[in-house]
Amino acid sequence: MKILVIGSGGREHALVWKLAQSKKVEKIWAAPGNGGTSGEDKTENFLMDIDPGDIEGQKILLDFAQKEKIDLTVVGPETPLAAGIVDKFRAAGLAIVGPDSKAARLESSKVFSNTFMNHYGVRAPKRKNFSDPAAAIEYAQGHFGKKRRADETPVPLVIKADGLASGKGVVIAGTLDEAKECLSSFMKKSSLGSAGKNILFEEFIEGREVSVMAAVSVSPGKKPVIKPFISARDHKSRFEGGKGPNTGGMGAIAPVPDFTARIQKDFANAIVAPTLKGMIAENMDYRGFIFFGLMVKDDQCYLLEYNVRLGDPETQALLPLLDSDFYELCLSILDGSLSSFNLKWKKEFSCAPVVVVSGYPGSYPKGLPVAMNTTRLEKLGAKVFVAGAQRGGGGHLGSGLRTSGGRVLAVSCLGADQSEAHRRAYEALGFINFEGMDYRKDIGKASSADNGKADGSDGGNG
């Protein structure tokens, strides 16, 4: 079988790696791919300069898929999904994993997803949306004039941009001045482009953040099902202990020790069941993956957001634990047999810290050569998933690899428990080096935020 994986990040490297393990997969193209995907078994990169999110890029990919007779396409990032790449491929009779553009609005529009949650009874924080900056500021003034904690400090106000903003569309304002600054940036100065013209204010909930991804098969004439994966936890804050600005993710662990059987049952009843009900009622064609961003408080789950694809860097922590054929999973999503698919997981824990260039998420240099001791990494059982790096030369993974982004790679290691996975992952980081290399030291550490409040926003709605 010939496979096309669309995207260029660490998530897409993990997808390529996992798909290549299937005996039924003969050839994989990564479009545009990165310096990691190009070195994987059965894989080559395709058209490094295309943008899968624009019309021309999608046309090139569609033409390529038809010419090469691609058997299956898997879409990694959200932008191509929102732009309708699934609609185009299916209209041409091609098999593709992902929601159509109508269903993709669950991520591409916070206003749409909020309306969906309210209508179908998905438990979520209270929200209110605004398109008028003056009215939004007036609401913020009222909030900070009334909402107080027991110690008389203001209750933070969560501000979310309506559209896709590459992880930059959520701000937790602790004061009225911070709220005004954010609203001015989003709504008046268009710092996020059209994505910030409409905003939502969200009730601040303190608790533990958990990510749960799932396979989804909802289409006319087929048995509708959402099949959750094991849990994961992302760490978005730049520095240890949940300090510093939010990023695209500084590492992930899986499964989450505090996501107990009782909480999982609540998640199934309060989040998954009404979501499936809504998808059916809305006549969505959703054959792909979904990401539930949760806040857990008092053993109850609140849905902070939907993502209509696999998470990054959670995927880099999860896929090494998957003990089923990922290609077969994709087929079951498309042919309506997902309900009977045997989704198996290794009885281990995963830790995947992310390596960045010093200065990230601010300005940082590019083109820095990356050195790796691949022999030592392989002996440890470590898997390196490349995100922001490209290769100029051939050979093994470390050959010719140079940084091209702020988040350069993730190192995923397994262990019998969380502590062992953490120890092995950080031992593996000692065999990777480049100028300005930096990473958090507490991803998966038992004494860190993993066993307390998640650090995406100091335990609030990240």
Side-chain angles (χ1 to χ4, degrees):
M1 294 293 158
K2 297 179 180 179
I3 312 294
L4 176 63
V5 174
I6 295 175
S8 62
R11 167 186 49 220
E12 287 72 44
H13 186 181
L15 287 170
V16 164
W17 170 76
K18 196 65 181 177
L19 284 163
Q21 294 174 12
S22 174
K23 294 179 180 179
K24 295 185 178 180
V25 172
E26 302 166 7
K27 177 73 175 180
I28 303 172
W29 282 272
N34 61 39
T37 56
S38 62
E40 286 298 335
D41 187 31
K42 307 177 185 178
T43 306
E44 69 176 82
N45 286 353
F46 167 74
L47 293 175
M48 298 296 293
D49 59 346
I50 68 162
D51 180 357
D54 66 29
I55 294 175
E56 182 60 27
Q58 293 190 3
K59 182 179 184 303
I60 292 172
L61 289 172
L62 179 58
D63 290 345
F64 174 79
Q66 290 175 316
K67 179 182 177 182
E68 291 293 333
K69 296 181 171 55
I70 296 295
D71 296 292
L72 175 70
T73 298
V74 180
V75 185
E78 65 275 19
T79 305
L81 295 169
I85 193 167
V86 169
D87 310 63
K88 297 179 180 70
F89 271 55
R90 287 186 181 149
L94 296 173
I96 184 169
V97 175
D100 65 11
S101 57
K102 177 182 177 181
R105 289 182 296 165
L106 287 172
E107 179 173 4
S108 64
S109 172
K110 295 292 191 299
V111 172
F112 175 82
S113 65
N114 183 54
T115 301
F116 178 93
M117 292 177 204
N118 288 338
H119 188 73
Y120 295 105
V122 180
R123 189 191 295 134
K126 296 176 183 178
R127 299 181 175 100
K128 191 172 182 64
N129 60 282
F130 290 88
S131 57
D132 176 35
I137 290 174
E138 183 179 353
Y139 180 90
Q141 289 172 331
H143 171 89
F144 284 105
K146 300 175 182 177
K147 298 286 186 178
R148 288 288 185 274
R149 290 167 164 165
D151 62 359
E152 292 301 311
T153 59
V155 174
L157 186 58
V158 183
I159 305 172
K160 292 188 173 183
D162 174 48
L164 298 176
S166 301
K168 301 176 182 178
V170 180
V171 170
I172 300 175
T175 65
L176 177 59
D177 286 344
E178 290 177 3
K180 286 181 176 180
E181 182 180 352
C182 172
L183 294 171
S184 175
S185 175
F186 284 8
M187 304 183 81
K188 294 181 179 180
K189 299 178 182 178
S190 300
S191 62
L192 302 177
S194 60
K197 290 300 183 182
N198 296 320
I199 62 96
L200 284 87
F201 289 120
E202 181 177 281
E203 174 191 11
F204 180 80
I205 295 179
E206 291 184 283
R208 295 180 174 91
E209 290 189 48
V210 177
S211 304
V212 182
M213 296 183 282
V216 182
S217 185
V218 177
S219 60
K222 303 291 185 180
K223 182 178 180 179
V225 62
I226 297 177
K227 181 162 287 194
F229 294 176
I230 58 174
S231 60
R233 176 169 285 152
D234 182 17
H235 297 73
K236 289 194 175 297
S237 296
R238 174 62 180 83
F239 303 111
E240 283 84 1
K243 307 298 182 183
N246 273 7
T247 69
M250 293 298 295
I253 63 166
V256 178
D258 53 63
F259 196 60
T260 64
R262 179 180 176 180
I263 299 172
Q264 291 173 43
K265 184 176 181 180
D266 179 77
F267 165 65
N269 293 332
I271 310 296
V272 177
T275 296
L276 182 59
K277 177 183 177 182
M279 288 178 174
I280 296 168
E282 296 286 333
N283 294 313
M284 290 184 179
D285 187 348
Y286 201 128
R287 287 173 280 170
F289 300 99
I290 195 166
F291 173 108
F292 298 97
L294 308 175
M295 184 65 71
V296 180
K297 180 181 181 181
D298 298 330
D299 287 353
Q300 288 193 320
C301 297
Y302 294 82
L303 182 64
L304 303 183
E305 65 176 353
Y306 293 112
N307 290 338
V308 296
R309 32 73 190 189
L310 295 174
D312 187 339
E314 292 94 337
T315 299
Q316 294 90 300
L318 274 171
L319 286 188
L321 290 169
L322 180 62
D323 212 14
S324 300
D325 187 311
F326 190 78
Y327 169 72
E328 295 286 358
L329 173 61
C330 290
L331 292 187
S332 75
I333 290 170
L334 295 178
D335 67 19
S337 64
L338 178 61
S339 61
S340 60
F341 185 84
N342 186 15
L343 195 59
K344 298 183 294 184
W345 300 94
K346 297 174 183 177
K347 302 298 183 181
E348 294 180 274
F349 288 79
S350 174
C351 179
V354 169
V355 175
V356 302
V357 181
S358 181
Y360 173 81
S363 59
Y364 52 84
K366 296 182 180 181
L368 304 169
V370 180
M372 293 187 196
N373 187 327
T374 54
T375 301
R376 297 297 296 271
L377 288 167
E378 288 171 3
K379 285 184 178 179
L380 266 176
K383 179 59 189 177
V384 176
F385 293 116
V386 173
Q390 298 292 350
R391 276 204 291 182
H396 61 270
L397 180 59
S399 177
L401 197 67
R402 290 180 176 270
T403 66
S404 59
R407 290 197 305 157
V408 179
L409 54 87
V411 177
S412 182
C413 281
L414 305 186
D417 54 29
Q418 187 180 348
S419 295
E420 183 181 25
H422 168 84
R423 178 185 60 77
R424 296 180 69 190
Y426 281 89
E427 183 179 348
L429 288 176
F431 303 119
I432 301 170
N433 185 56
F434 59 84
E435 183 182 350
M437 172 177 164
D438 199 11
Y439 50 86
R440 282 183 52 165
K441 312 299 189 296
D442 61 347
I443 306 301
K445 191 174 182 179
S447 60
S448 75
D450 295 324
N451 287 335
K453 295 178 180 178
D455 67 40
S457 54
D458 294 327
N461 309 33

